[in-house]
């Protein structure tokens, strides 16, 4: 049997998530049903609290945060902005959007399309040199800019040394939610755990960061965020490419039918 109280406390202590009893009960019923099936087949074992917590956490990462957890952020009633992060383990949050604010949406869409074509179909982007033009050793991003392998980092080439297109990276802006309140997080220095291709619905724990008084934005740092992973299955349709295409179509309709196009940056 799953120790509901023990697991709930362990997750709150380790990840800052306050589980809703109704969701936890459904989660535990699902886990115990699977454990009972394993036991009937001769594979069942008694689980310690640590293993019980791991099983519930796995389900939590793929849940919709508003259904599984109580809100972690306290917003000011007047401004509706978050004034401070909670103490303890921090705030258990879900990524609702992530974009690179230093790259135009069209340039990002082109880079994503070229990367997917390369990975899925082997189609080489037009800016990559022919395969026999190997006098230089580098990685190319959309637009034909060459970077040294040291700049690109590991994993930018295949096992056969084939140069691969990659997604450009400047500065990320992340929209986070606790299921009720949203807060925008911005990186000033690169955070290795974050990348623009993280699925919508990914769970993170934010334990530190400076909230800007004027905008309410959260300045993220490497030591103040943990990316846990997971994403509800219904978010699969909202891939980076799909979101970019939707945003570009919306922007095109606004320019064609709406008021004069604003020069104010958006994301």
């Amino acid at each position: 049997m799953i120790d509901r109280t023990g697991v709930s406390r362990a997750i709150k202590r380790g990840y800052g998530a306050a589980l809703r009893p109704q969701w936890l009960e459904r989660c535990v019923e699902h886990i115990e049903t699977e454990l009972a099936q394993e036991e009937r087949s001769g594979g069942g074992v008694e689980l310690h609290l640590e293993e019980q917590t791991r099983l519930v956490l796995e389900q939590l990462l793929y849940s919709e945060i508003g259904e599984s957890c109580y809100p972690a952020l306290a917003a000011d009633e007047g401004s509706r902005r978050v004034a401070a992060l909670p103490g303890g383990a921090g705030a258990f949050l879900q990524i609702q959007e992530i974009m690179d604010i230093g790259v135009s949406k069209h340039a990002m869409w082109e880079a994503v399309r070229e990367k997917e074509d390369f990975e899925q179909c082997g189609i080489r982007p037009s800016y990559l040199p022919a395969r026999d033009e190997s006098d230089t050793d580098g990685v190319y991003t959309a637009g034909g800019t060459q970077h040294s392998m040291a700049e690109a980092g590991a994993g930018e080439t295949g096992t056969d040394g084939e140069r691969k297109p990659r997604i450009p990276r400047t500065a990320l802006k992340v929209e986070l939610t606790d299921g009720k309140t949203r807060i925008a997080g911005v990186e000033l220095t690169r955070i290795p755990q974050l990348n623009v291709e993280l699925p919508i619905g990914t769970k993170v724990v934010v334990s530190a960061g400076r909230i800007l008084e004027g905008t309410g934005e959260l300045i993220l740092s490497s030591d103040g965020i943990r990316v846990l992973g997971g994403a509800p299955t219904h978010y699969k349709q909202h891939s980076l490419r799909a979101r970019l295409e939707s945003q570009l179509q919306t922007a095109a309709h606004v320019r064609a039918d709406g008021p004069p196009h604003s020069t104010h940056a958006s994301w």
Side-chain angles (χ1 to χ4, degrees), residues 160-172:
D160 59 353
E162 174 73 9
R163 281 174 292 186
K164 299 166 61 176
R166 66 172 187 173
I167 304 300
R169 170 69 184 271
T170 58
L172 300 182

Side-chain angles (χ1 to χ4, degrees), residues 99-143:
M99 284 290 172
D100 194 311
I101 56 178
V103 180
S104 73
K105 292 183 177 66
H106 189 269
M108 181 63 73
W109 174 79
E110 284 189 329
V112 171
R113 176 178 58 83
E114 289 166 349
K115 182 173 182 287
E116 289 182 355
D117 288 346
F118 185 86
E119 293 176 345
Q120 298 173 9
C121 308
I123 301 174
R124 293 170 59 80
S126 59
Y127 58 79
L128 284 181
R131 297 180 191 276
D132 58 352
E133 296 178 11
S134 56
D135 55 326
T136 59
D137 185 17
V139 174
Y140 291 76
T141 56

Side-chain angles (χ1 to χ4, degrees), residues 43 78 110 195 210 223 256 263:
E110 284 189 329
N195 71 80
R210 180 168 58 93
D223 58 354
T263 57

Side-chain angles (χ1 to χ4, degrees), residues 140-195:
Y140 291 76
T141 56
T145 303
Q146 184 183 18
H147 301 264
S148 69
M149 293 305 298
E151 290 179 304
E156 298 293 351
T157 58
T159 54
D160 59 353
E162 174 73 9
R163 281 174 292 186
K164 299 166 61 176
R166 66 172 187 173
I167 304 300
R169 170 69 184 271
T170 58
L172 300 182
K173 186 173 184 178
V174 189
E175 185 175 296
L176 303 165
T177 183
D178 63 358
K180 180 181 179 181
T181 302
R182 294 194 178 197
I183 185 171
V186 181
E187 62 170 10
L188 296 184
T189 58
R190 181 171 296 194
I191 300 175
Q193 307 97 297
L194 295 178
N195 71 80

Side-chain angles (χ1 to χ4, degrees), residues 12-13 15-17 72-73 84-92 205-208:
K12 174 64 175 177
R13 183 171 57 251
Y15 304 95
L73 300 173
L85 295 172
F92 183 82
V205 175
V206 180
S207 57

